[in-house]
């Protein structure tokens, strides 16, 4: 604790160097006293943890949705020992609308994300996800603009999906593990039936293996809240087209 006096309207910078006595969460607060009244305000909080003794293990199952637009967030995740980054909303460089925004346009311009993952020795669970406006099975949908737009969950044209999966897996040889879609029981992510999703899994599996026979294929991050939905996908064969 330090006590200082500041005249009204004045500015002052206070540096307080210290070493955290243990790992954990710490909070910085300030008490302002004037005319016999005291106000306490929280300014910030931070975490302290030891430096890792080695790089994250390739077989570690600790991972996250690491904010891959931010060097600081990625570096912090690596310091915490996270070995994996799941390619979902915080790492979108394999999403269909990002890599193929138009039928004849391929966009691999997420090099900063890719380089950041490799520099921090963070493995990627690649996600094959989202339907571009032009690829919906029922016909073209309104165009979505920019990375902020969440992809459509529309059931896609399966041959277009097959080509996207093949080209994307081929373009990212460093990604060995691939996840077909995301939480299909949630309507904003998938608005087809369990049977149609099982067919998507089949097409995705075939395209992944054609591009990289050594790839490990996963189904789409199921949630526990809709177990009957998942049982339906299994009944229609989804799990016959998955490795893990």
């Amino acid at each position: 604790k330090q006590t200082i006096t500041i005249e009204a309207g004045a500015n002052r910078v206070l540096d307080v160097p210290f070493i955290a006595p243990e790992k954990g969460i710490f909070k910085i607060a300030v008490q302002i006293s004037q005319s016999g009244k005291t106000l306490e305000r929280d300014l910030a909080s931070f975490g302290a943890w030891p430096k890792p003794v080695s790089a994250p293990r390739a077989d570690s199952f600790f991972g996250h949705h690491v904010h891959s637009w931010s060097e600081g967030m990625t570096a912090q995740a690596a310091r915490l020992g996270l070995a994996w980054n799941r390619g979902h909303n915080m790492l979108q460089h394999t999403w269909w609308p990002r890599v193929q925004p138009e039928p004849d346009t391929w966009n691999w311009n997420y090099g900063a994300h890719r380089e950041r993952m490799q520099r921090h020795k963070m493995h990627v669970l690649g996600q094959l996800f989202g339907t571009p406006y032009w690829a919906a099975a029922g016909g073209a949908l309104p165009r979505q603009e920019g990375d902020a737009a969440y992809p459509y969950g529309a059931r896609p044209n399966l041959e277009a999906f097959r080509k996207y999966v093949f080209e994307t897996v081929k373009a990212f040889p460093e990604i060995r593990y691939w996840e077909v879609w995301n939480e299909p029981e949630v309507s904003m992510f998938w608005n087809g039936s369990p049977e149609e999703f099982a067919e998507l899994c089949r097409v995705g599996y075939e395209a992944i293996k054609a591009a990289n026979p050594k790839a490990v294929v996963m189904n789409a991050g199921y949630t526990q809240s809709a177990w009957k939905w998942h049982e339906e996908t299994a009944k229609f064969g989804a799990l016959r087209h998955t490795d893990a």
Side-chain angles (χ1 to χ4, degrees):
K1 293 182 179 179
Q2 293 197 24
T3 301
I4 62 172
T5 300
I6 305 177
E7 296 296 326
N11 295 317
R12 182 158 169 201
V13 176
L14 181 65
D15 292 322
V16 185
F18 68 97
I19 297 175
E22 57 186 342
K23 66 181 179 181
I25 304 299
F26 295 83
K27 184 164 65 175
I28 302 171
V30 63
Q31 288 182 337
I32 303 171
S33 299
Q34 186 177 30
S35 303
K37 295 182 179 179
T38 300
L39 173 68
E40 182 166 303
R41 298 290 297 272
D42 289 345
L43 296 184
S45 61
F46 63 93
W49 60 88
K51 291 181 179 180
V53 296
S54 61
R57 289 169 42 167
D59 60 351
S60 169
F61 52 77
F62 290 103
H64 216 292
H65 290 179
V66 179
H67 193 326
S68 305
W69 283 266
S70 166
E71 170 62 25
M73 289 284 193
T74 307
Q76 176 173 300
R79 289 197 303 272
L80 284 168
L82 296 180
W84 289 85
N85 193 4
R86 178 174 180 253
H88 190 53
N89 48 351
M90 296 290 102
L91 181 65
Q92 303 176 5
H93 69 320
T94 62
W95 280 9
W96 194 358
R98 308 293 183 249
V99 302
Q100 196 183 13
E102 302 290 340
D104 299 318
T105 301
W106 294 93
N107 174 21
W108 311 112
N109 293 329
Y110 283 80
H113 298 228
R114 187 178 190 177
E115 186 273 335
R116 195 166 283 139
M117 294 301 101
Q118 294 174 334
R119 180 157 41 83
H120 289 288
K121 297 181 172 59
M122 195 170 292
H123 309 287
V124 172
L125 170 56
Q127 189 178 68
L128 301 159
F129 172 65
T131 300
Y133 80 96
W134 54 267
L141 299 167
R143 186 189 301 267
Q144 291 179 303
E145 300 293 345
D147 287 354
Y150 227 93
Y152 285 116
R155 183 171 58 88
N157 175 290
L158 289 180
E159 288 312 304
F161 179 70
R162 184 189 298 275
K163 183 175 182 181
Y164 148 66
V165 171
F166 178 82
E167 295 295 340
T168 303
V169 173
K170 191 170 67 171
F172 294 98
E174 73 275 14
I175 300 179
R176 184 175 169 226
Y177 287 78
W178 291 94
E179 179 182 39
V180 178
W181 224 254
N182 176 68
E183 296 181 1
E185 76 287 354
V186 179
S187 60
M188 72 174 288
F189 298 138
W190 174 259
N191 53 34
S193 68
E195 183 175 11
E196 289 167 334
F197 183 72
E199 182 69 0
L200 184 85
C201 292
R202 180 187 67 80
V203 172
Y205 186 88
E206 292 172 354
I208 292 169
K209 293 295 187 177
N212 180 5
K214 295 182 179 179
V216 178
V217 184
M218 298 169 58
N219 269 185
Y222 296 147
T223 63
Q224 293 183 340
S225 60
W227 196 248
K228 295 299 293 183
W229 203 98
H230 309 319
E231 288 180 336
E232 286 292 300
T233 68
K235 184 175 72 175
F236 291 115
L239 298 183
R240 287 199 293 271
H241 300 101
T242 186
D243 298 320

